Amino acid sequence: MKILILTGAGVSAESGLGTFRDKGGVWTRYDLSEVATPEGFARDPQKVIDFYNMRRANARGAQPNAAHLALARLQSEYTRGEVTLVTQNVDSLHEAAGSDALHMHGAHGVARCAACDARWPAPLVMSLNDQCPDCGRPETRPDVVWFGEVPHHLPRIAGHLRTADLFVAIGTSGTVYPAAGFVAEARARGARTVEINLEPSQVAGQFDEVILGPATETVPAWVA
Ligand code: BJW
């Protein structure tokens, strides 16, 4: 059986990383048009760099929780098929738990040159004057996907959506596309679909099964 798992901020919530849209979430404290769009970066790049330096520093101290660990165990021990993990998260907690994940919205740990698209490991504190190691231009930005930008790995994800027998979404509100549309795609191709979340997402009605509760309890129980 081919299993495709999509995770969102809820899977890292109990590691101490805030979600985006819950009470006190990132988008209740920051204007996303200012810090998570190419236009915001063009208007005030220093503000955006500061925002991501702060988020990168928070993420650096976080440890994987029981949900990340259970998913890593599933990925390494499942012998009746394959388990593909796609995450919208920019933290590296799936990797810290031992998983291999496709980061469709990028990663805190990667810097990108806005001029030539080169990528390299991000320093903990990124600066606007950082020069690209390839072209030398000082046009460094975080390698994260902002609104209006095309997410990473979409052709590979589309392939997995076509062939998955089981699609599972964990800790995501189902508000951001194209990820929120994956359940419909997987379902149209005949996959069974399961949502695991603290509360029903915006697209909960499209899943065959919805499991509610904190990820550190529900995910290990589902994997077991
Ligand atoms: C727990 C829990 C616990 C809490 N246990 N659970 C229709 C189709 C296509 C696109 C669009 C469309 N309509 C509009 C668009 C455009 C736009 C969009 O979706 N806008 C909507 C807001 C309407 N999308 C885009 O612009 C995307 N690009 C794009 O569409 O390109 C065009 C294109 C697509 C395809 C092919 C060709 C071209 C890009 C979106 C980029 C999103 N970027 C961000 C920032 C990333 C960097 C950063 O981290 O700063 O990604 S925004 C933010 O939202 C972040 C997240 O990955 C993303 C999703 O959030 P997530 O993970 O769901 O978090 P929350 O907070 O929303 O939800 C947390 C959930 O966890 C909740 O449900 C809680 O209940 C739960 N929870 N604690 C379990 N303990």
Side-chain angles (χ1 to χ4, degrees):
M1 180 163 73
K2 289 189 175 180
I3 305 175
L4 177 58
I5 298 173
L6 170 72
T7 63
V11 81
S12 296
E14 290 163 88
S15 291
L17 300 182
T19 63
F20 293 94
R21 297 170 182 83
D22 294 313
K23 194 163 174 259
V26 176
W27 297 155
T28 68
R29 292 177 286 123
Y30 294 88
D31 181 342
L32 68 82
S33 69
E34 289 180 3
V35 295
T37 62
E39 295 77 15
F41 185 60
R43 270 194 305 271
D44 192 345
Q46 190 61 54
K47 181 181 221 166
V48 176
I49 293 287
D50 290 345
F51 171 72
Y52 281 98
N53 282 342
M54 178 271 295
R55 301 251 321 276
R56 193 178 305 107
N58 289 345
R60 195 177 150 94
Q63 297 296 320
N65 64 43
H68 299 104
L69 294 168
L71 293 175
R73 201 170 60 246
L74 178 69
Q75 239 187 351
S76 68
E77 292 178 4
Y78 188 70
T79 51
R80 285 175 289 144
E82 64 181 40
V83 180
T84 303
L85 186 55
V86 174
T87 187
Q88 298 169 85
N89 299 342
V90 297
D91 65 55
S92 56
L93 293 179
H94 283 307
E95 287 76 9
S99 276
D100 213 6
L102 291 173
H103 281 263
M104 65 178 291
H105 291 165
H108 275 319
V110 183
R112 172 150 55 104
C113 175
C116 76
D117 224 30
R119 288 172 168 80
W120 65 96
L124 182 56
V125 180
M126 197 180 273
S127 154
L128 270 182
N129 302 322
D130 290 346
Q131 289 184 332
C132 170
D134 276 14
C135 74
R137 279 187 275 188
E139 295 195 37
T140 297
R141 57 163 284 181
D143 186 25
V144 298
V145 178
W146 292 322
F147 286 100
E149 296 187 316
V150 179
H152 299 338
H153 310 299
L154 287 182
R156 279 177 76 183
I157 296 169
H160 290 297
L161 284 166
R162 276 195 293 275
T163 57
D165 301 297
L166 174 63
F167 172 77
V168 185
I170 303 174
T172 178
S173 59
T175 48
V176 175
Y177 287 82
F182 290 173
V183 57
E185 290 179 50
R187 205 185 162 120
R189 292 282 179 165
R192 177 174 164 69
T193 55
V194 178
E195 171 169 286
I196 303 180
N197 211 30
L198 196 57
E199 53 193 35
S201 75
Q202 295 292 314
V203 291
Q206 298 180 35
F207 287 86
D208 296 312
E209 183 183 356
V210 177
I211 300 170
L212 299 179
T216 56
E217 294 173 16
T218 49
V219 175
W222 173 75
V223 166

